[in-house]
Amino acid sequence: MSPSSQTRADVVVVGGGVVGASIAHHLAAGSADVLLCEQGIAPGQGATSRSGGLLRLHHTAHCDTRLAARSLPVFQNWQDTVGGECGYRRTGFVMLVAEKYADSLRRNSAAVEESGGHSELIDPADLTELYPGLGLDGVGAVAYEPAGGYADPVAAAGTLLAAARRRGARVADGMCVRRLLTTGDRISGVETNLGQVSAPVVVLASGAWSGRDLAGAVGVTVEVAPRRIGLALAAVPGAGAGDSGAQLPTCIDDTTGTYFRPSGNDGLYFGVPSNPAVRLGTDVEPLTPDEVAAAKDAVATRVKAVGGAQLLGSKAGFDGYTPDRRPLIGPAGPDGLYLATGFSGGGFKTAPAVGELVAAEVLGGAGVAGRAEEPLLTPYRPGRFVAGRPVVGDFTYERM
């Protein structure tokens, strides 16, 4: 749609990834007149489409655990809570650490239980009975979440936007927000490639590029930098099949710095770490053979079948990373500007809760005048770096 057909909204959401889609859905459910601006020709094709889609509650910062625990039931009951399918598949999630981090693992696992989820410590030898395709040499301690697994980020974003549309939200593909408009010391709308839209509240959920042109132009420093993210798909017959639902779990392995999860019955997605030497421009550089090979070797430490497996494809894109690798969520700068960005590769699993809580703050006035604080979002406020209060892990591991 073009702004010329209707030039006003209660809230403009900038960014059509899964976080922006969730915010728009919840705002529309609260009867707000919402316009979502997505610069691509289809929403969810940025960082969302490059997400591994892992669903887990285990985190080293317990504020993250609480958001993930609030979100998981939504994924599990997506058809009833949102509508359509999000591709949720329960494989179980395992967190692998070295022996010296066993106590931290125990404490973080307890935080999952305290947040309403279920996590248990399992002897590494016993885990191989659950997942016969998993090797555990060098693993000293394991936390297991039976309800963990994965979902399809693009499908989730698409169904959230469909739900928002059913509630009256307008979703504008190919609409690039070029400038935030202000009147005095408050937001008054946005200027797009298709014209101006007036709105008293703008939510920036545009990921890697949120701080470069938009917020910076109105004097707001957004501590978000673009970083390349990637994953690859290997053919591993039976990876997602078996009597228990999967021969392999969704897994984060702190001992090797890898993550992986099944894809359907016969595939395995695994993460490819970002190479800091790769130039970050406006176009995404594909993953190189050396990058994929190194990641594949690391995963083969746990899944031997990956070593000789055929590669079926790869994905690379940008996401926005903050100094503490946690998102910026909350009012910032001119009255009416609200940030929901910088999810640092981890936004998918918390998107339902983030959308719900951000909408509650905006509709309650926090996006306008600082009212209606949501305690679960307090650790993520945009001013925390200036105040010297970055989010830190409660009980950390070697790489997390």
Side-chain angles (χ1 to χ4, degrees):
M1 54 81 61
S2 166
S4 61
S5 63
Q6 188 172 351
T7 60
R8 192 188 184 287
D10 294 334
V11 185
V12 170
V13 178
V14 183
V18 70
V19 171
S22 181
I23 293 169
H25 162 61
H26 285 282
L27 286 169
S31 300
D33 178 16
V34 181
L35 172 66
L36 182 143
C37 300
E38 166 54 43
Q39 67 179 351
I41 59 173
Q45 296 303 309
T48 292
S49 67
R50 277 77 173 182
S51 167
L54 277 64
L55 298 179
R56 60 179 170 105
L57 306 189
H58 195 107
H59 289 80
T60 58
H62 297 167
C63 54
D64 297 339
T65 299
R66 289 187 282 272
L67 284 183
R70 194 180 183 102
S71 297
L72 183 59
V74 179
F75 287 108
Q76 293 171 314
N77 301 286
W78 196 267
Q79 194 165 39
D80 295 331
T81 57
V82 178
E85 299 291 339
C86 71
Y88 168 69
R89 186 160 182 178
R90 176 175 169 170
T91 64
F93 168 78
V94 297
M95 181 76 213
L96 310 179
V97 301
E99 175 63 34
K100 65 180 178 179
Y101 298 109
D103 186 61
S104 292
L105 189 81
R106 177 182 61 80
R107 292 171 182 267
N108 292 331
S109 182
V112 171
E113 295 281 336
E114 291 165 6
S115 297
H118 178 55
S119 177
E120 57 189 274
L121 301 185
I122 290 185
D123 187 279
D126 294 336
L127 188 64
T128 58
E129 295 184 13
L130 284 175
Y131 301 105
L134 194 62
L136 295 174
D137 291 345
V139 173
V142 176
Y144 171 58
E145 297 175 23
Y150 67 90
D152 182 336
V154 175
T159 50
L160 283 165
L161 291 177
R165 287 188 180 99
R166 289 195 298 273
R167 291 168 170 81
R170 292 165 285 150
V171 178
D173 302 346
M175 184 182 288
C176 178
V177 174
R178 292 174 170 166
R179 186 164 64 96
L180 299 176
L181 303 177
T182 58
T183 300
D185 60 355
R186 68 157 300 108
I187 290 292
S188 58
V190 296
E191 180 181 294
T192 80
N193 60 311
L194 300 179
Q196 292 188 355
V197 180
S198 64
V201 178
V202 174
V203 178
L204 279 187
S206 46
W209 312 117
S210 296
R212 286 204 166 183
D213 299 320
L214 298 178
V218 295
V220 177
T221 298
V222 179
E223 297 280 358
V224 174
R227 177 173 166 180
R228 184 162 159 270
I229 57 175
L231 66 162
L233 177 63
V236 180
D243 293 339
S244 63
Q247 286 189 7
L248 292 169
T250 295
C251 175
I252 294 179
D253 179 7
D254 186 68
T255 69
T256 60
T258 60
Y259 77 82
F260 54 86
R261 58 93 164 164
S263 175
N265 288 339
D266 300 314
L268 191 78
Y269 268 120
F270 59 91
V272 179
S274 176
N275 182 349
V278 172
R279 179 180 58 85
L280 294 180
T282 56
D283 295 323
V284 179
E285 295 287 339
L287 299 177
T288 67
D290 288 346
E291 287 176 311
V292 176
K296 187 180 178 187
D297 288 345
V299 174
T301 302
R302 297 285 162 248
V303 184
K304 291 183 179 179
V306 169
Q310 177 186 4
L311 291 174
L312 301 178
S314 68
K315 301 178 183 180
F318 293 125
D319 200 0
Y321 278 67
T322 65
D324 61 9
R325 300 186 64 169
R326 267 78 185 192
L328 305 177
I329 307 175
D335 197 13
L337 178 62
Y338 194 103
L339 303 183
T341 189
F343 284 83
S344 306
F348 176 64
K349 62 186 171 296
T350 62
V354 169
E356 174 198 359
L357 297 172
V358 167
E361 284 204 324
V362 170
L363 295 174
V368 178
R371 301 187 300 275
E373 284 271 332
E374 289 292 335
L376 289 177
L377 297 182
T378 300
Y380 306 105
R381 296 312 188 194
R384 68 181 183 271
F385 297 114
V386 173
R389 294 193 300 269
V391 177
V392 296
D394 292 275
F395 300 99
T396 59
Y397 309 124
E398 183 174 348
R399 295 176 172 87
M400 291 182 64

